Amino acid sequence: MHIVDGALSSPVLISGAVLSAIGVFIGLKKMDYDHLPLVGVLASVFFIASYIHLPLGFSSVHLIMNGLLGIILGWVAFPALLVALLLQVIFFGFGGLLVLGVNTLNIALPAVLIYYLCYKGVRNDSPKIAAIWGAVGGAGAIFITALMVAFALALSGESFVLAAKAVLPAHIPIMVIEGFVSYAAVYLIHTVKPEFISKGSN
Amino acid sequence: MSQSLEHSLTSWSGQALKHQNSWIDGIDARVRVVCSTLFALVVVSSHSFTPTLLGLFCAFLLVKASKLNIKRTLRRVVAMDLFMLTLICILPFTTPGDAMFTVFSLTASWQGLLHALLITVKANAVLLVLFSLVATMSASTLGHALAHLKVPDKLVHLMLFMVRYLDVISQEYKKMRRAMQARAFVLRTNRHTWKSIGYLFGMLLIRSVERAERISDAMKCRGFCGRYYLNDEMKIRSIDWIFAIVFISFLILLIGLNIDGLFK
């Protein structure tokens, strides 16, 4: 998931950084100081989620949950994920410093796209329908993320094309799991605290 | 197996890496942040082995100087190097060049292997420098340093909030997991697991949003008007200058080695 330093070519690194910076700028514009505690706590929840390892056959995968984060936070997902990834790089060593822009873009842009795609659906009155939209969002975000990772690798050189082709099938099990988990999470939120979904976005 | 991994990673108290005090702790936080960023820039954009290996060597020296706990540091680096191993396996086959050996009519090339090794060296060097220079300060010091370096205020605030609440949320998460374990829940590859984890996640979200509301109310009660004030005066002293000058001259040496490599 995390691309490491040194693998990507400089044009990819620079364009990733610039696009992420724009996203973060828009996100910061949309977030005022009043929302800081909410955004900070939500970002921490997603940080913790990425350490939930689910077994998959003989190996395990970790949740990403950028789809749900996008549905809840919208553009604010950009700064939230940038900070989360920065902390992961510095204190855990996942990813790299210069690829931070590309990694942020790969995870946050799908989140924003899912926000626009599933915004209405998740706010449906019926918990079942809302949960299905949540599942679509969860799986869809992983799909877009995988596509973008593959794209970033393929653009960086001929020799990475095979690795790029391997990224998509490798993410299919994660997509399925994330879909189910998002379904259950949205369903629960709808039954326990329906006002949260309609409120959390503004 | 996956469980032990999970628990070793969720316990983070927002603190610096465990290490003994060293002279690196005395250096200004801003200088350390700027130096490691420049280091990453120079090393990642290097083309040949000499400057990157020299960079890795310098990273080892810094790790030694900052008295990092070697075992913990290694564990973090190994996690990344496992990923690099797949890269080392793939790249030789996909890069055209002189044949090293052939498996099933696929040819592994020396160029590919060298490329993969170069990436590994770069990634390791950058990480080790980050660990020794930046991760040795507490996350809130890092936040203040970034604020003094003119990083947008809101971003720094967000980071400070996250650093504070990561621990709280991870405790909440562990509490819920323990409750599930007490009811004999075991993670497996089936829909029941995914549903339960989804419920866990949803509950975690709800609880943390409620907590965020309480936090923000409590902060307003105490006169929080939307921002933290950074009261610490960060002063650049002579030792900071010396460190910065030595470090930057080393980086200039690395750049020089690169240019030489280009003209060969």
Side-chain angles (χ1 to χ4, degrees), chain A residues 28 31 33 45 91 159 199, chain B residues 76 94 126 154 189 208 213 226:
Chain A
L28 287 181
M31 176 182 83
Y33 283 101
V45 173
F91 294 97
S159 47
K199 199 177 70 176
Chain B
R76 280 151 212 247
T94 54
V126 172
K154 281 182 189 167
T189 314
S208 19
E213 280 162 9

Side-chain angles (χ1 to χ4, degrees), chain B residues 133-182:
Chain B
L133 287 185
V134 182
T136 44
M137 58 177 105
S138 74
S140 52
T141 317
L142 175 63
H144 285 205
L146 289 179
H148 282 288
L149 287 170
K150 303 277 177 269
V151 170
D153 233 20
K154 281 182 189 167
L155 216 52
V156 174
H157 276 68
L158 189 56
M159 181 171 152
L160 291 174
F161 263 106
M162 257 187 91
V163 166
R164 170 67 187 85
Y165 289 103
L166 264 179
D167 195 36
V168 176
I169 308 272
S170 94
Q171 271 168 15
E172 187 95 49
Y173 163 70
K174 278 183 196 160
K175 205 159 67 185
M176 286 160 77
R177 270 312 297 279
R178 212 171 303 131
M180 286 165 89
Q181 275 165 358

